[in-house]
Amino acid sequence: MKPSHIEHIGIAVKSLDEAIPYYERLLGTTCYAIETVIDQKVKTAFFKIGDTKIELLESTDPEGPVGKFIEKKGEGIHHIAFAVNGLEAALDDVREAGIKLIDEQPRKGAEGLHIAFLHPKSTFGVLTELCEDKNKQTK
Ligand code: CMX
């Protein structure tokens, strides 16, 4: 497996309304998309910075993964996502390396990406996402 780039960094925030203006000013760009991912119990807001995105995550349910994260650790960096070509093969590599998967199979994430999470307990404490954009294969 050889990721092509950091696809996005996920940042847990209590309020998108409060965080968006800060990031717009910091990055000198506007938020280009807001999307609710119902099954993940989050509302997301996206910014582009080069090939990488910043994904702000506001929980829609205190029992969802981001709600629980904020309750335990407060706001902050929640996960890092690497872009790969061939997500199924990448997951086979990860399995072979003995890394624990949260998602055994790719599933649909925000922006129509195919995604899978690796468990932070086997990735040195960093919730790690692998993702593939089937419409935009990276080199
Ligand atoms: N980064 C690092 N560690 C994390 C973490 C994170 N983002 N989220 C949870 N953990 C740790 C907790 O601190 C806890 O550690 P301790 O056992 O040492 O206390 C442990 O993982 C278990 O946490 P928990 O609060 O009991 O939560 P669960 O076990 O129910 O779930 C996890 C943990 C990682 C499996 C779950 O949050 C998950 O499936 N995450 C992936 C999906 C996700 O985060 N989706 C939101 C993003 C949506 C998107 O981008 O599309």
Side-chain angles (χ1 to χ4, degrees), residues 8 10 37 39-42 44 46 55 57 63-66 68-69 72-73 77-79 102-103 107-110 115 117-121 125-129:
H8 65 266
V37 184
D39 67 325
Q40 292 299 298
K41 302 184 166 86
V42 287
T44 61
F46 285 95
E55 179 187 31
L57 301 155
E63 288 308 311
V66 172
K68 283 164 77 176
F69 176 87
K72 210 167 204 172
K73 304 192 182 196
I77 293 181
H78 178 263
H79 67 269
I102 294 171
D103 302 300
R107 60 182 169 82
K108 269 265 177 78
I115 68 164
F117 279 95
L118 317 185
H119 202 287
K121 291 289 172 201
V126 178
L127 178 60
T128 303
E129 178 182 348

Side-chain angles (χ1 to χ4, degrees), residues 110-124:
E111 299 204 297
L113 297 184
H114 292 252
I115 68 164
F117 279 95
L118 317 185
H119 202 287
K121 291 289 172 201
S122 57
T123 57
F124 301 90

Side-chain angles (χ1 to χ4, degrees), residues 1 3-11 46 51-55 57 77-84 87 109-111 113-118 126-132:
M1 179 174 78
S4 56
H5 62 285
I6 294 174
E7 212 282 335
H8 65 266
I9 295 171
I11 299 174
F46 285 95
D51 285 339
T52 301
K53 297 163 194 158
I54 297 293
E55 179 187 31
L57 301 155
I77 293 181
H78 178 263
H79 67 269
I80 184 164
F82 296 103
V84 295
L87 182 53
E111 299 204 297
L113 297 184
H114 292 252
I115 68 164
F117 279 95
L118 317 185
V126 178
L127 178 60
T128 303
E129 178 182 348
L130 301 181
C131 54
E132 180 174 37

Side-chain angles (χ1 to χ4, degrees), residues 32-107:
Y32 70 88
I34 292 183
E35 183 182 343
T36 299
V37 184
I38 293 168
D39 67 325
Q40 292 299 298
K41 302 184 166 86
V42 287
K43 194 168 159 195
T44 61
F46 285 95
F47 303 83
K48 262 201 183 110
I49 170 158
D51 285 339
T52 301
K53 297 163 194 158
I54 297 293
E55 179 187 31
L56 301 183
L57 301 155
E58 177 191 287
S59 181
T60 57
D61 179 338
E63 288 308 311
V66 172
K68 283 164 77 176
F69 176 87
I70 289 179
E71 174 66 27
K72 210 167 204 172
K73 304 192 182 196
E75 294 175 298
I77 293 181
H78 178 263
H79 67 269
I80 184 164
F82 296 103
V84 295
N85 280 330
L87 182 53
E88 277 93 346
L91 293 181
D92 287 343
D93 284 356
V94 166
R95 247 180 239 111
E96 244 172 62
I99 296 163
K100 192 176 166 200
L101 292 169
I102 294 171
D103 302 300
E104 287 293 334
Q105 300 297 329
R107 60 182 169 82

